[in-house]
Protein backbone atom coordinates (compact mmCIF):
# COMPACT_ATOMS: atom_id res chain seq x y z
CA UNK A 1 0.00 0.00 0.00
CA UNK A 2 1.22 3.49 -0.86
CA UNK A 3 0.07 6.39 1.27
CA UNK A 4 0.29 10.05 0.43
CA UNK A 5 0.93 12.27 3.45
CA UNK A 6 -0.12 15.92 3.22
CA UNK A 7 0.78 18.85 5.41
CA UNK A 8 -0.98 21.96 4.12
CA UNK A 9 -0.19 25.46 5.30
CA UNK A 10 -1.99 28.59 4.17
CA UNK A 11 0.33 29.12 1.19
CA UNK A 12 2.31 25.89 1.16
CA UNK A 13 1.88 22.15 0.88
CA UNK A 14 4.39 19.51 1.93
CA UNK A 15 3.94 15.91 0.84
CA UNK A 16 5.53 12.48 1.07
CA UNK A 17 4.56 9.31 -0.73
CA UNK A 18 5.36 6.37 1.56
CA UNK A 19 5.42 2.68 0.61
CA UNK A 20 3.97 0.98 3.67
CA UNK A 21 5.43 -2.42 2.70
CA UNK A 22 8.76 -1.22 4.11
CA UNK A 23 7.84 2.29 5.32
CA UNK A 24 10.22 3.84 2.77
CA UNK A 25 9.74 7.32 1.33
CA UNK A 26 9.26 7.05 -2.46
CA UNK A 27 9.14 10.80 -3.07
CA UNK A 28 8.66 14.01 -1.21
CA UNK A 29 8.13 17.61 -2.10
CA UNK A 30 6.89 21.06 -1.40
CA UNK A 31 4.56 23.53 -3.14
CA UNK A 32 5.32 27.11 -2.16
CA UNK A 33 3.54 30.42 -2.74
CA UNK A 34 0.13 28.85 -3.34
CA UNK A 35 -2.34 31.64 -4.14
CA UNK A 36 0.53 34.11 -4.72
CA UNK A 37 2.58 34.94 -7.83
CA UNK A 38 5.61 32.75 -8.43
CA UNK A 39 4.19 29.41 -7.21
CA UNK A 40 6.81 26.67 -7.21
CA UNK A 41 6.72 22.89 -6.84
CA UNK A 42 9.93 21.13 -5.77
CA UNK A 43 9.65 17.37 -6.13
CA UNK A 44 12.35 14.91 -5.00
CA UNK A 45 12.09 11.22 -5.90
CA UNK A 46 13.99 8.93 -3.48
CA UNK A 47 17.63 8.75 -4.56
CA UNK A 48 16.93 11.17 -7.42
CA UNK A 49 17.54 14.78 -8.30
CA UNK A 50 15.30 17.63 -7.16
CA UNK A 51 12.84 18.62 -9.89
CA UNK A 52 11.25 22.08 -9.97
CA UNK A 53 8.03 23.15 -11.67
CA UNK A 54 7.03 26.79 -11.87
CA UNK A 55 3.30 26.90 -12.58
CA UNK A 56 0.30 28.88 -11.45
CA UNK A 57 -1.28 27.50 -8.25
CA UNK A 58 -4.20 29.80 -7.50
CA UNK A 59 -5.39 27.35 -4.83
CA UNK A 60 -4.47 24.06 -3.12
CA UNK A 61 -6.52 22.23 -5.76
CA UNK A 62 -4.14 23.18 -8.58
CA UNK A 63 -1.16 22.47 -6.29
CA UNK A 64 -2.40 18.94 -5.60
CA UNK A 65 -3.02 18.34 -9.30
CA UNK A 66 0.60 19.31 -9.98
CA UNK A 67 1.76 16.96 -7.23
CA UNK A 68 -0.24 14.13 -8.86
CA UNK A 69 1.39 14.91 -12.22
CA UNK A 70 4.86 14.93 -10.66
CA UNK A 71 4.25 11.58 -8.95
CA UNK A 72 3.26 9.85 -12.23
CA UNK A 73 5.63 11.73 -14.56
CA UNK A 74 7.59 9.25 -16.77
CA UNK A 75 10.98 10.84 -15.99
CA UNK A 76 10.87 11.88 -12.33
CA UNK A 77 7.69 10.18 -11.11
CA UNK A 78 7.66 7.14 -8.82
CA UNK A 79 4.30 5.51 -9.67
CA UNK A 80 2.59 4.64 -12.95
CA UNK A 81 -0.82 5.94 -11.97
CA UNK A 82 -2.48 7.63 -9.00
CA UNK A 83 -4.53 4.39 -8.67
CA UNK A 84 -1.47 3.10 -6.78
CA UNK A 85 -2.17 5.59 -3.96
CA UNK A 86 -4.42 3.79 -1.47
CA UNK A 87 -5.21 6.68 0.86
CA UNK A 88 -4.20 10.17 1.88
CA UNK A 89 -3.23 11.12 5.44
CA UNK A 90 -3.53 14.78 6.43
CA UNK A 91 -1.92 16.65 9.26
CA UNK A 92 -4.68 18.67 10.92
CA UNK A 93 -3.54 21.04 13.64
CA UNK A 94 -6.66 21.33 15.80
CA UNK A 95 -9.33 18.74 16.53
CA UNK A 96 -10.74 20.68 19.51
CA UNK A 97 -12.43 18.38 22.01
CA UNK A 98 -13.91 16.35 19.15
CA UNK A 99 -11.11 13.89 18.48
CA UNK A 100 -8.70 11.98 20.68
CA UNK A 101 -7.37 9.93 17.78
CA UNK A 102 -7.04 9.96 14.02
CA UNK A 103 -10.22 9.54 12.00
CA UNK A 104 -11.45 8.72 8.51
CA UNK A 105 -12.70 11.96 6.95
CA UNK A 106 -16.44 12.38 6.29
CA UNK A 107 -18.73 15.42 6.25
CA UNK A 108 -18.99 15.47 10.09
CA UNK A 109 -15.20 15.46 10.41
CA UNK A 110 -14.89 18.35 7.97
CA UNK A 111 -17.49 20.28 9.95
CA UNK A 112 -15.58 19.65 13.19
CA UNK A 113 -12.33 20.87 11.58
CA UNK A 114 -14.18 24.02 10.46
CA UNK A 115 -15.62 24.44 13.98
CA UNK A 116 -12.03 24.71 15.23
CA UNK A 117 -11.06 27.53 12.86
CA UNK A 118 -11.06 30.08 15.70
CA UNK A 119 -8.73 27.85 17.77
CA UNK A 120 -6.19 27.51 14.93
CA UNK A 121 -6.96 30.32 12.47
CA UNK A 122 -3.70 29.99 10.53
CA UNK A 123 -3.72 26.22 10.19
CA UNK A 124 -7.16 24.59 10.23
CA UNK A 125 -8.57 26.46 7.18
CA UNK A 126 -5.51 25.37 5.16
CA UNK A 127 -5.77 21.80 6.45
CA UNK A 128 -9.43 21.63 5.41
CA UNK A 129 -8.61 23.14 2.02
CA UNK A 130 -6.02 20.38 1.54
CA UNK A 131 -8.56 17.67 2.36
CA UNK A 132 -11.16 19.12 -0.01
CA UNK A 133 -8.58 19.54 -2.76
CA UNK A 134 -7.55 15.86 -2.41
CA UNK A 135 -11.20 14.80 -2.51
CA UNK A 136 -11.60 16.75 -5.76
CA UNK A 137 -8.34 15.52 -7.30
CA UNK A 138 -8.75 11.85 -6.26
CA UNK A 139 -12.46 11.20 -5.90
CA UNK A 140 -13.36 8.10 -3.89
CA UNK A 141 -9.96 7.72 -2.17
CA UNK A 142 -10.11 7.64 1.62
CA UNK A 143 -8.70 10.66 3.46
CA UNK A 144 -7.61 10.43 7.10
CA UNK A 145 -7.22 13.38 9.49
CA UNK A 146 -4.38 13.09 12.01
CA UNK A 147 -4.71 15.78 14.68
CA UNK A 148 -1.82 17.54 16.43
CA UNK A 149 -4.07 17.88 19.47
CA UNK A 150 -5.25 14.25 19.70
CA UNK A 151 -2.37 13.09 21.95
CA UNK A 152 -3.21 15.76 24.55
CA UNK A 153 -6.82 14.66 24.82
CA UNK A 154 -5.91 11.93 27.33
CA UNK A 155 -4.81 14.55 29.90
CA UNK A 156 -6.85 14.56 33.11
CA UNK A 157 -8.92 17.63 34.03
CA UNK A 158 -6.34 18.65 36.67
CA UNK A 159 -3.79 19.05 33.85
CA UNK A 160 -5.91 20.52 31.09
CA UNK A 161 -8.11 23.02 32.99
CA UNK A 162 -6.81 26.54 33.55
CA UNK A 163 -7.51 28.22 36.88
CA UNK A 164 -9.94 30.63 35.21
CA UNK A 165 -13.69 31.02 35.68
CA UNK A 166 -15.05 27.61 34.70
CA UNK A 167 -17.61 29.21 32.39
CA UNK A 168 -14.81 29.99 29.87
CA UNK A 169 -14.23 26.28 29.51
CA UNK A 170 -17.95 25.61 29.23
CA UNK A 171 -18.62 28.42 26.76
CA UNK A 172 -15.45 28.45 24.67
CA UNK A 173 -13.60 25.22 25.51
CA UNK A 174 -10.66 27.26 26.83
CA UNK A 175 -8.32 24.49 28.04
CA UNK A 176 -4.88 23.04 27.50
CA UNK A 177 -4.84 21.08 24.22
CA UNK A 178 -1.14 20.67 23.52
CA UNK A 179 0.44 20.53 20.07
CA UNK A 180 3.16 18.51 18.30
CA UNK A 181 1.02 15.57 19.49
CA UNK A 182 1.87 13.38 16.49
CA UNK A 183 5.56 13.83 17.26
CA UNK A 184 5.23 13.28 21.04
CA UNK A 185 3.12 10.16 20.47
CA UNK A 186 5.55 8.75 17.90
CA UNK A 187 8.67 9.43 19.97
CA UNK A 188 7.15 8.18 23.26
CA UNK A 189 6.08 4.97 21.49
CA UNK A 190 9.53 4.45 19.96
CA UNK A 191 11.24 5.07 23.32
CA UNK A 192 9.04 2.45 25.01
CA UNK A 193 9.90 -0.03 22.24
CA UNK A 194 13.63 0.71 22.09
CA UNK A 195 14.01 0.89 25.85
CA UNK A 196 12.13 -2.36 26.46
CA UNK A 197 9.84 -0.44 28.82
CA UNK A 198 6.43 -1.61 30.02
CA UNK A 199 3.97 -0.35 27.36
CA UNK A 200 1.25 0.02 30.04
CA UNK A 201 3.15 1.91 32.72
CA UNK A 202 6.32 3.46 31.24
CA UNK A 203 6.83 7.07 32.36
CA UNK A 204 8.35 9.05 29.51
CA UNK A 205 9.20 12.73 29.02
CA UNK A 206 9.61 13.85 25.40
CA UNK A 207 11.32 17.17 24.63
CA UNK A 208 10.35 18.28 21.12
CA UNK A 209 12.84 21.12 20.66
CA UNK A 210 12.45 22.70 17.23
CA UNK A 211 11.66 26.22 16.17
CA UNK A 212 8.42 25.58 18.04
CA UNK A 213 9.09 23.57 21.18
CA UNK A 214 7.12 21.58 23.72
CA UNK A 215 7.56 18.93 26.40
CA UNK A 216 5.16 16.10 27.16
CA UNK A 217 4.75 13.64 29.99
CA UNK A 218 3.14 10.30 29.22
CA UNK A 219 2.39 7.15 31.15
CA UNK A 220 2.02 3.99 29.08
CA UNK A 221 2.07 6.12 25.91
CA UNK A 222 -0.89 8.26 27.09
CA UNK A 223 -0.28 11.96 27.56
CA UNK A 224 -0.78 13.16 31.14
CA UNK A 225 0.58 16.69 30.67
CA UNK A 226 2.13 18.85 27.98
CA UNK A 227 3.56 22.34 27.85
CA UNK A 228 1.66 23.99 24.99
CA UNK A 229 -1.82 25.16 25.87
CA UNK A 230 -4.89 26.60 24.18
CA UNK A 231 -2.43 27.76 21.53
CA UNK A 232 1.21 26.85 20.75
CA UNK A 233 2.40 29.98 22.60
CA UNK A 234 2.57 28.52 26.11
CA UNK A 235 5.41 26.62 27.74
CA UNK A 236 9.02 26.59 26.60
CA UNK A 237 11.00 29.50 25.24
CA UNK A 238 11.00 28.98 21.45
CA UNK A 239 12.63 30.53 18.38
CA UNK A 240 10.29 33.54 18.33
CA UNK A 241 7.61 32.62 20.91
CA UNK A 242 7.84 33.70 24.54
CA UNK A 243 6.41 30.58 26.17
CA UNK A 244 5.26 31.14 29.77
CA UNK A 245 5.17 34.73 31.01
CA UNK A 246 3.27 36.57 33.72
CA UNK A 247 -0.07 37.28 31.96
CA UNK A 248 -0.14 40.77 33.53
CA UNK A 249 2.83 41.73 31.31
CA UNK A 250 0.40 41.94 28.38
CA UNK A 251 -1.59 44.84 29.84
CA UNK A 252 1.56 46.51 31.18
CA UNK A 253 3.31 46.57 27.79
CA UNK A 254 0.12 47.40 25.89
CA UNK A 255 -0.33 50.50 28.06
CA UNK A 256 3.29 51.62 27.90
CA UNK A 257 3.88 50.88 24.21
CA UNK A 258 0.34 51.80 23.11
CA UNK A 259 -0.20 48.38 21.55
CA UNK A 260 -3.47 46.60 20.94
CA UNK A 261 -3.90 43.08 22.34
CA UNK A 262 -3.55 41.73 18.77
CA UNK A 263 -0.27 43.60 18.33
CA UNK A 264 1.00 42.34 21.66
CA UNK A 265 0.03 38.76 20.76
CA UNK A 266 2.02 39.21 17.57
CA UNK A 267 5.03 40.34 19.64
CA UNK A 268 4.69 37.26 21.86
CA UNK A 269 4.47 34.94 18.84
CA UNK A 270 6.93 36.49 16.42
CA UNK A 271 9.36 38.77 18.22
CA UNK A 272 10.03 37.00 21.50
CA UNK A 273 11.72 33.71 22.39
CA UNK A 274 15.47 33.51 21.80
CA UNK A 275 15.07 36.16 19.08
CA UNK A 276 13.72 38.63 21.65
CA UNK A 277 16.00 37.56 24.49
CA UNK A 278 19.10 37.92 22.32
CA UNK A 279 18.00 41.44 21.37
CA UNK A 280 17.25 40.40 17.80
CA UNK A 281 20.26 38.27 16.88
CA UNK A 282 18.24 35.39 15.43
CA UNK A 283 15.53 32.82 16.04
CA UNK A 284 17.85 30.14 14.68
CA UNK A 285 19.80 28.31 17.34
CA UNK A 286 22.84 27.94 15.10
CA UNK A 287 23.17 31.73 14.93
CA UNK A 288 22.60 32.07 18.67
CA UNK A 289 25.25 29.38 19.31
CA UNK A 290 27.73 31.21 17.05
CA UNK A 291 27.05 34.55 18.75
CA UNK A 292 27.37 33.01 22.23
CA UNK A 293 30.65 31.34 21.23
CA UNK A 294 31.83 34.72 19.96
CA UNK A 295 31.26 36.18 23.42
CA UNK A 296 27.85 37.83 22.98
CA UNK A 297 26.38 38.07 26.48
CA UNK A 298 22.68 38.12 25.56
CA UNK A 299 23.06 35.17 23.19
CA UNK A 300 24.62 33.24 26.07
CA UNK A 301 21.78 34.26 28.40
CA UNK A 302 19.19 33.26 25.77
CA UNK A 303 20.68 29.76 25.60
CA UNK A 304 20.90 29.53 29.40
CA UNK A 305 17.29 30.68 29.82
CA UNK A 306 16.13 28.19 27.17
CA UNK A 307 18.01 25.35 28.87
CA UNK A 308 16.70 26.28 32.31
CA UNK A 309 13.08 26.37 31.08
CA UNK A 310 13.33 22.90 29.54
CA UNK A 311 14.96 21.52 32.72
CA UNK A 312 12.21 23.07 34.87
CA UNK A 313 9.50 21.45 32.75
CA UNK A 314 11.21 18.07 32.93
CA UNK A 315 11.44 18.41 36.72
CA UNK A 316 7.77 19.38 36.95
CA UNK A 317 6.71 16.44 34.82
CA UNK A 318 8.80 13.96 36.77
CA UNK A 319 7.00 15.25 39.88
CA UNK A 320 3.61 15.02 38.15
CA UNK A 321 4.29 11.37 37.22
CA UNK A 322 6.12 10.57 40.49
CA UNK A 323 9.05 9.24 38.50
CA UNK A 324 10.46 8.85 35.01
CA UNK A 325 11.85 5.88 33.09
CA UNK A 326 13.08 7.67 29.98
CA UNK A 327 13.64 11.13 28.55
CA UNK A 328 13.88 11.73 24.80
CA UNK A 329 15.13 14.66 22.74
CA UNK A 330 13.76 15.28 19.26
CA UNK A 331 13.24 17.92 16.48
CA UNK A 332 15.79 20.40 15.04
CA UNK A 333 17.53 21.51 18.24
CA UNK A 334 16.96 18.27 20.15
CA UNK A 335 18.37 16.14 17.34
CA UNK A 336 21.30 18.35 16.35
CA UNK A 337 22.56 20.21 19.38
CA UNK A 338 24.62 17.99 21.68
CA UNK A 339 25.51 20.90 23.95
CA UNK A 340 21.84 21.71 24.52
CA UNK A 341 21.10 18.07 25.41
CA UNK A 342 24.09 17.91 27.75
CA UNK A 343 23.33 21.25 29.42
CA UNK A 344 19.68 20.34 30.02
CA UNK A 345 20.66 16.97 31.47
CA UNK A 346 23.23 18.67 33.73
CA UNK A 347 20.23 19.92 35.77
CA UNK A 348 18.95 16.36 36.18
CA UNK A 349 21.76 14.80 38.20
CA UNK A 350 19.40 14.55 41.20
CA UNK A 351 17.32 12.09 39.18
CA UNK A 352 20.38 9.92 38.53
CA UNK A 353 20.58 11.07 34.89
CA UNK A 354 24.08 10.56 33.47
CA UNK A 355 24.99 11.42 29.88
CA UNK A 356 27.75 9.55 28.03
CA UNK A 357 29.62 12.27 26.08
CA UNK A 358 30.72 9.85 23.38
CA UNK A 359 27.20 8.51 22.82
CA UNK A 360 25.87 12.08 22.89
CA UNK A 361 28.31 13.11 20.16
CA UNK A 362 25.77 12.41 17.43
CA UNK A 363 23.31 14.27 15.19
CA UNK A 364 19.94 13.18 13.83
CA UNK A 365 20.45 9.52 14.63
CA UNK A 366 18.45 7.41 17.00
CA UNK A 367 20.67 6.60 19.98
CA UNK A 368 20.74 5.98 23.73
CA UNK A 369 22.87 8.87 25.00
CA UNK A 370 22.86 8.03 28.71
CA UNK A 371 25.46 5.85 30.44
CA UNK A 372 24.68 2.24 31.26
CA UNK A 373 24.42 3.11 34.96
CA UNK A 374 22.16 6.17 34.43
CA UNK A 375 18.96 5.72 36.50
CA UNK A 376 16.94 7.17 33.60
CA UNK A 377 17.41 6.21 29.97
CA UNK A 378 18.01 9.28 27.79
CA UNK A 379 17.55 9.09 24.02
CA UNK A 380 18.10 11.11 20.93
CA UNK A 381 15.11 9.99 18.89
CA UNK A 382 14.46 11.68 15.53
CA UNK A 383 10.79 12.44 15.11
CA UNK A 384 8.97 11.30 11.98
CA UNK A 385 5.55 12.91 11.88
CA UNK A 386 4.96 11.88 8.25
CA UNK A 387 5.52 8.22 9.05
CA UNK A 388 3.25 8.49 12.10
CA UNK A 389 0.52 10.00 9.89
CA UNK A 390 1.02 7.27 7.28
CA UNK A 391 0.82 4.53 9.96
CA UNK A 392 -2.48 5.90 11.30
CA UNK A 393 -3.82 6.25 7.76
CA UNK A 394 -2.92 2.65 7.01
CA UNK A 395 -4.55 1.44 10.24
CA UNK A 396 -7.82 3.24 9.44
CA UNK A 397 -8.04 2.29 5.76
CA UNK A 398 -6.66 -1.26 5.60
P1 LIG B 1 12.51 22.24 13.46
O1 LIG B 1 11.43 23.21 13.80
O2 LIG B 1 12.35 20.91 14.13
O3 LIG B 1 12.77 22.13 11.99
O4 LIG B 1 13.87 22.84 14.09
C1 LIG B 1 14.41 24.05 13.63
C2 LIG B 1 15.43 24.54 14.63
O5 LIG B 1 16.49 23.57 14.75
C3 LIG B 1 16.08 25.85 14.20
O6 LIG B 1 16.02 26.80 15.23
C4 LIG B 1 17.52 25.46 13.96
O7 LIG B 1 18.41 26.44 14.33
C5 LIG B 1 17.72 24.28 14.88
N1 LIG B 1 18.89 23.52 14.46
C6 LIG B 1 19.09 22.85 13.31
N2 LIG B 1 20.35 22.36 13.26
C7 LIG B 1 20.97 22.74 14.41
C8 LIG B 1 22.28 22.56 14.97
N3 LIG B 1 23.22 21.88 14.33
N4 LIG B 1 22.54 23.11 16.18
C9 LIG B 1 21.60 23.81 16.83
N5 LIG B 1 20.36 24.01 16.36
C10 LIG B 1 20.04 23.48 15.18
Amino acid sequence: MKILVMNCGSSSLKYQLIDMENESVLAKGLCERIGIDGSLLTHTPAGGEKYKVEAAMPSHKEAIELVMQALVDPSHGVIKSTDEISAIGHRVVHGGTYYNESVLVNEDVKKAIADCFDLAPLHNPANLMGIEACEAAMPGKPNVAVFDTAFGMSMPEKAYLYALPYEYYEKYKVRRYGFHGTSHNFVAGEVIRKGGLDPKSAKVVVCHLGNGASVSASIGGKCVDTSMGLTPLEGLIMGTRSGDIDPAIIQFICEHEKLTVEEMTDVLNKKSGVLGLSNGISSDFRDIDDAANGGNHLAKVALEAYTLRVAKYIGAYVAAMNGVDAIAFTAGVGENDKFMRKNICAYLGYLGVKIDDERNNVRGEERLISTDDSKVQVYLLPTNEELAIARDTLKLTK
Side-chain angles (χ1 to χ4, degrees), residues 239-297:
T240 60
R241 287 176 234 160
S242 64
D244 300 337
I245 57 162
D246 178 346
I249 291 172
I250 295 172
Q251 186 189 354
F252 184 89
I253 299 291
C254 281
E255 283 174 7
H256 282 77
E257 293 277 319
K258 307 276 178 283
L259 296 181
T260 63
V261 172
E262 286 79 5
E263 286 166 338
M264 186 61 202
T265 305
D266 202 56
V267 169
L268 295 175
N269 271 301
K270 299 192 183 143
K271 296 184 183 154
S272 302
V274 291
L275 174 70
L277 258 172
S278 66
N279 202 14
I281 291 175
S282 177
S283 64
D284 192 304
F285 284 78
R286 286 162 289 199
D287 301 333
I288 301 282
D289 281 340
D290 288 348
N293 291 335
N296 184 289
H297 173 68

Side-chain angles (χ1 to χ4, degrees), residues 208-212 283-287 289 331-333 336-337 363:
H208 178 112
L209 309 180
N211 195 26
S283 64
D284 192 304
F285 284 78
R286 286 162 289 199
D287 301 333
D289 281 340
V333 181
N336 289 300
D337 194 337
R363 284 179 57 181

Side-chain angles (χ1 to χ4, degrees), residues 155-195:
M155 276 185 278
E157 281 174 303
K158 64 182 175 186
Y160 75 68
L161 283 178
Y162 289 109
L164 291 168
Y166 188 68
E167 62 181 287
Y168 298 151
Y169 173 67
E170 290 180 306
K171 281 201 236 168
Y172 311 117
K173 293 282 176 281
V174 170
R175 54 160 280 171
R176 174 179 310 287
Y177 289 94
F179 297 85
H180 297 138
T182 310
S183 172
H184 285 287
N185 192 22
F186 176 84
V187 173
E190 291 293 297
V191 164
I192 290 172
R193 215 159 51 80
K194 306 281 172 210

